[in-house]
Structure formats: C-alpha cells, structure tokens
Amino acid sequence: MKKILSSLRLANSFLPSQLTRTNSLLTQVTHSPLNTFHYTNQFMLFSSQPNQIINLVLTDDWSQQLEQKIYKSNIKMTHESVVYILKNLDKDPLKASKFLIWVTEKNGFDPNSSSFCLLLRILAKNVAMTEFWFTVNKMKEYCLFIDEESYKTMVVHFKSLKMVADASALTRFYNTMVQSSVLDCKVKEVVDVVWRLDWDCEVEKRLMEMGICVSEVFVVRVLMGLRKRPLKAFEVFKWFVKGCGFQHRIGTYNVMVRVLGRYDSIEEFWSLLKEMKDVGYDLDIDTYIKISRRFQKNKMIEDAVNLYEYMMDGPYKPLAKECSLLLRAIAASSTPDLDLVFRVVDKFEVAGHILEKTGYDLIHRSLTRVGRFDEAEKIMETMRNTGYEPDNITYSQLIHGLCKARRLEDACKVLDVMIGNECLPDLKTWTTLIQGHCAAGEVDRALFYFSRMMEENCEADADLLDVLVNGFLNQKRIDGAYTLLIELVNRARLRPWQATYRNLIQDLLGERKLEEAVSLLHLMRKSNYPPYPEPFLQYISKFGTVDDTLRFLKALSSKEYPTISAYQHVFQCLFQEGRHSEARDLLYKCPLHIRKHEAICSLFGSVESTSSGAA
C-alpha cells in the first residue's frame, strides 16, 4: 500500500497546489491547528498499557485471577485510560461493567459521571438491563449524575425497542435526580445570567455576588447548559479559574472541548486542546468520537482529519473503524480532497494497522470521483494483491466516476469487464450506469441498459424508476415517462416514490394531459399517498371543463364523494379566475348534499353579493 501511495503522491506533484503533497511518508512534518509541530513517527513513544488490559479482559473470563493480573500490571488508571478501555469493551457489556466496578471499588479509581454514563450507554445499547440498573444505583450511591445527552440517547433507544417500562423508570430517576439536586437552581441562575447578557465586568460581578460553591459537577452542568452558546461557555470556563480559584481537571476539560467543537468556536477549540496537552491531559476517546462525528456531519472535514492525526499521535488511538468513517466522509464530497485521504491513511498505517477492503474502496471512491482513473486502477491492483477481489461496490464506483466525467463508453466497458470477471452487476451498479446516461441526456442508451438489466432478471426499484422518469422529463419526453411508469406499476408491481408521481403530474398538466395526470392521482391514492390537488386546481381553474373537474374530484378520494373542503377549493379557484358561469354549472352537477351545504351556499352567496355590489 505504501508503494501505491508513494506513486500517487508523485502524480500529485503535477497537479494544482491544493492537491500537491511532496513530503515523504515517514519523515514529513505537519503543522496542526495546535500551533505545534509533530512527527508522524511519534507512535513509537506510545504506551501500550491500556491495550494490554483490553487484551487481558477480552481473552479471559472475569475472575479474581484476572483482577490480579490487571492489578500486578501496575497500570495507573486515569480517566482517559478507563474511558479508552470501556470504549473498546462496548461489545462485551458484562465485562465492561465488571471492569468499571472493579477499578472503582478495588483499584482506587476516582468515580466520575462521564465514565459511568459511558458504561450506561454501553449496557443500554446491548440491553444488559440487570447490569444497567445496578450501575444506575451505583451512580446514586456515588452521588454521580446522568447527563442530559446520555439520558435522551438511552430513552430513545428503549422506546425504539418498545421497552416502555425501562424508559419510564429512567425518566423518573433522571427527573428526580435533577429536581433533588441542590445545585439545580444555582446552575440555572448562572446559565440565565450568562445567556442573556454580553460578557463583561458587570456579568463577572453578578456571578461573584451569587456566592457560588464551585465543584466539578457544578462546572460541567453550567457548561452543558451553555452548550448552544460555546463562546459564552468558554468565558465562564475561564472565569471559574480566575474568579473562583477552581482548578480544572480532565472531566471539565473534556466537556469544554466538546462544547467548543463547532464551526463558530473552532479557534477556541484548538487553543483549549493545546492547553489540555500542556497541563498533561489527553482527550478521552468518547469525547473524540462525539466531536469527530459532529465535524463530519457539519462538513468540517479538515478539522476532523486534524483531530484524527492528533489522537493517532497520542496514547489513546481511535479504533480502526474511525479511519473508515473518516475516509467515507471525505469520499462523500463531490470533489474529495485527496491530500486529506493520504493523511488519514498515513496515520492509520504508521500506527501498524492494515487496510481492509472497506478502506481500499473508500480510497478508490475518492480517486474515481475526481477523475484519477489511472491511480484508481492501481488501487484495484493492490486490492487484488492483498487478497481482496473487486466487487460490485468497486466497479460501481468506477462506473460512477466515468459517467461523471462523461466517459460513457468506458463506463459501459467496465460493465462488460465486470461480467467477464464473473462479478454480476447488482441493482446499484445498473442504476449508476443508467443514471449516468440520463444525466448526459442519453436516455435511449439508458433504456437499452435498463432492458438489458431486466433480461438479467434484476428487478427495478422506485429509485431507478425515478432516475428514468426524470431522464425522460429532462428531455421533454413526457409520454415516454408516463408509459414507462404505468408499465412498471402494472407489470412489475412497482410502487413509485411520491416525488416521482408529483414531478410527472406537473409536467403532464403543463402539456394539458389531464386524463393521464388524473390516472396517476388514482395510482397515488392506491399507494396510500396523500392527495396532491395543487397543480390540478391551477390547471382546472384556467382550462378545465365541468367534466374535467368532476373527474378530478372523483380521483381525490376512495369514497363516493370527496370532502366539502375539496369542493370549496375548486369553487374558490374558479371564482378567482373569474369563471363564475363554470362554477355555477359545476354546482348544478354536484350531489344535493354539496349544493345545500352551508359552506358552499355561503361561498356562492358572498360571491354573488360582491358581483351585485360591483355592478
């Protein structure tokens, strides 16, 4: 893999500067937002002690002998190491529970809310309810609290599993915990003052006058109360030191970093992370994961990569899946930044990890998305040499990239190569190729491959139908789109997307094809989609006859007659267009209960009186 990356970097030297990367793999020096330099071979300084414990716990059953082995290892159990071990035990909830209780009660670990909340989330996720409620009681015994984020996560999970009793019991416990806390009122008072006012000397004076008794729990709850105002939270964080003499510890640092990990406070985030390192604290792995996910969700990909490098240079390295998630976030861009891809892969490999199929595919996806097909082919060769044969995912990505580059013939050749290598295209592959042709305006070729797909006994789905219908509509071939949809609904029993129906109905009415549009309205109703009257009302009010209107009204409901409000809307639209005689003709053809309804009579009465007044 290193040879491939080296060759790719050599090719990068001929690209624009934003994709250039000329430093060598192992000796490069990178500059992080922490304003400090670090070498990528720092991993050699990494203490493997937490991993030793993880291996011990995963290998042996929990017993006194195992406890003795861990004890004799003389490993100091810090907050960061305990969280790291728990995170690595998240698929073995019983051992995670045994470990935290043992390290707290027999190994001198100072219990804190964040480590116990992490254990609760692990137990809840794995539905280990005996251990879950045992841990809740332990937290009560240690005067620890469940944070709001963990509480909401667990309650939602319980409700999704129909565990109503557990969800209710947890809610009662959480509410009681909050209400019984003597800190609650004081926390709310501090949050309210800081939230409402701009930070200045007056705010500091008001805080001093409150007579606050600062503790780690109090600080954490204030910071979480201000999490939607990260810069104000940071001011309070600093004031607790300056105004109260409070000494921040690992728990408050991690919470503050978590609050600052946003776009509008990113400079303060990196500044505080450097401060943490300077005072000897490491970011715990649970906090890292939450911040990294937020960065990826908010498209702050470069910050996510910087943070990944920061963690990989430290003692608590992210799990292998974090590399894949980060590569996936980079590859999701329409034009992935290859420099970020290389940086993530470098850190992953330097730490001693070996790329698996998913990692190769994500590198391959990034390359194909930016049109780097020669390098993508080299990645496929490396995959084969490593023992991973290209599959539907690999070929589909290549086809997508070629179609994006408008190299449609090459994309079709890839399909033939794929079949020749006994890798049968799946629906995703066919959809990718057909969508590429539709996007290029090659709808007839798209239909050819659609027919070929059907011959291969690969059934279409609503997504592919939407691709084809939109392809037809973009070419103003509305009859073709309508015929295709009707054919697949009737013969293949396909259920189109609601959006597909809507787009086609609008275009049909634009061509004054009311009969076809009404037939789609019937199909929508059979698929239990809500009525879609808006474009019909616009059409009928301007062009529709009385018979057209009655046909539309009948299609709106499975009952004999639609609602009164449906008739009201039709009459109102006709009046707005000045088509009073058509409205009266329609009224005479309506059933008696509609003609005599108070709302309809009132509508006609108000219109007639307005007309008389105008005359």
Side-chain angles (χ1 to χ4, degrees), residues 44 74 208 289 292 305 344 547:
M44 298 179 67
N74 293 321
M208 288 293 293
I289 290 172
S292 181
V305 172
V344 172
D547 289 338

Side-chain angles (χ1 to χ4, degrees), residues 96-224:
S97 176
K98 295 278 189 183
F99 167 74
L100 184 57
I101 299 303
W102 173 79
V103 78
T104 300
E105 297 185 346
K106 297 183 181 180
N107 202 42
F109 174 68
D110 188 16
N112 57 63
S113 296
S114 58
S115 56
F116 270 80
C117 282
L118 173 57
L119 176 59
L120 281 184
R121 297 199 305 273
I122 292 171
L123 296 171
K125 182 177 71 174
N126 291 277
V127 199
M129 299 314 297
T130 300
E131 290 74 16
F132 177 87
W133 289 112
F134 175 80
T135 304
V136 169
N137 287 324
K138 279 292 180 185
M139 291 184 71
K140 186 176 181 180
E141 179 183 323
Y142 295 141
C143 298
L144 304 177
F145 72 97
I146 300 174
D147 63 81
E148 183 182 4
E149 185 179 4
S150 295
Y151 159 70
K152 288 182 177 179
T153 299
M154 293 184 293
V155 165
V156 169
H157 179 64
F158 288 156
K159 288 181 178 178
S160 70
L161 297 177
K162 310 299 183 186
M163 298 169 61
V164 179
D166 288 290
S168 299
L170 180 60
T171 297
R172 287 195 299 273
F173 176 85
Y174 177 78
N175 290 337
T176 301
M177 176 196 71
V178 171
Q179 293 166 4
S180 64
S181 173
V182 294
L183 299 176
D184 193 48
C185 291
K186 191 64 71 174
V187 167
K188 289 180 179 178
E189 189 177 354
V190 171
V191 169
D192 180 63
V193 168
V194 177
W195 188 288
R196 287 187 297 105
L197 305 176
D198 292 334
W199 187 271
D200 57 15
C201 294
E202 182 62 28
V203 172
E204 294 185 8
K205 180 181 177 182
R206 291 184 63 170
L207 292 177
M208 288 293 293
E209 291 172 351
M210 291 181 188
I212 301 169
C213 182
V214 183
S215 66
E216 182 170 347
V217 171
F218 181 82
V219 172
V220 168
R221 291 190 61 185
V222 168
L223 295 178
M224 291 306 294

Side-chain angles (χ1 to χ4, degrees), residues 536-592:
F536 289 94
L537 291 172
Q538 295 172 12
Y539 174 87
I540 286 170
S541 63
K542 292 181 179 180
F543 314 113
T545 65
V546 172
D547 289 338
D548 291 338
T549 308
L550 290 172
R551 192 179 304 119
F552 157 67
L553 287 167
K554 186 175 182 181
L556 275 181
S557 175
S558 57
K559 298 178 180 179
E560 187 175 0
Y561 302 108
T563 61
I564 291 294
S565 62
Y567 284 96
Q568 280 181 287
H569 287 143
V570 169
F571 287 127
Q572 286 170 343
C573 289
L574 289 171
F575 288 142
Q576 287 170 4
E577 291 295 327
R579 301 182 69 188
H580 295 244
S581 62
E582 287 85 353
R584 284 192 293 272
D585 291 342
L586 175 62
L587 181 65
Y588 295 145
K589 289 196 174 186
C590 288
L592 183 61

Side-chain angles (χ1 to χ4, degrees), residues 56-57 60-70 95 98 102 106:
L56 279 174
V57 175
D60 297 343
D61 292 333
W62 194 272
S63 63
Q64 289 186 347
Q65 289 77 12
L66 176 59
E67 292 176 1
Q68 285 297 315
K69 287 181 183 178
I70 301 174
K95 285 185 178 179
K98 295 278 189 183
W102 173 79
K106 297 183 181 180

Side-chain angles (χ1 to χ4, degrees), residues 328-362:
R328 191 180 305 279
I330 299 170
S333 168
S334 57
T335 54
D337 187 332
L338 295 183
D339 183 61
L340 298 181
V341 173
F342 296 146
R343 285 168 55 185
V344 172
V345 174
D346 280 353
K347 285 296 179 185
F348 186 75
E349 290 194 323
V350 167
H353 298 301
I354 298 174
L355 279 176
E356 296 184 351
K357 172 70 166 53
T358 302
Y360 284 112
D361 273 332
L362 291 169

Side-chain angles (χ1 to χ4, degrees), residues 28 46 90-91 107 112 151 164 233 303 417 421 426 430 594:
Q28 72 164 25
F46 164 62
D90 67 346
K91 293 183 180 178
N107 202 42
N112 57 63
Y151 159 70
V164 179
D303 286 298
V417 170
N421 289 336
D426 59 10
W430 287 110
I594 298 295

Side-chain angles (χ1 to χ4, degrees), residues 269-336:
F269 167 82
W270 288 113
S271 172
L272 187 62
L273 207 56
K274 182 181 184 300
E275 180 183 320
M276 280 183 68
K277 180 65 72 176
D278 289 343
V279 298
Y281 290 131
D282 290 295
L283 191 67
D284 74 48
I285 194 68
D286 190 43
T287 299
Y288 161 75
I289 290 172
K290 285 182 168 59
I291 297 173
S292 181
R293 297 287 193 278
R294 187 190 303 153
F295 283 167
Q296 293 171 42
K297 180 181 178 182
N298 295 334
K299 310 300 181 186
M300 299 169 63
I301 303 301
E302 187 169 0
D303 286 298
V305 172
N306 288 333
L307 188 59
Y308 180 77
E309 290 176 319
Y310 173 85
M311 292 298 289
M312 291 297 282
D313 283 342
Y316 305 106
K317 302 184 189 304
L319 299 175
K321 70 176 183 178
E322 295 302 318
C323 172
S324 294
L325 288 171
L326 193 47
L327 289 175
R328 191 180 305 279
I330 299 170
S333 168
S334 57
T335 54

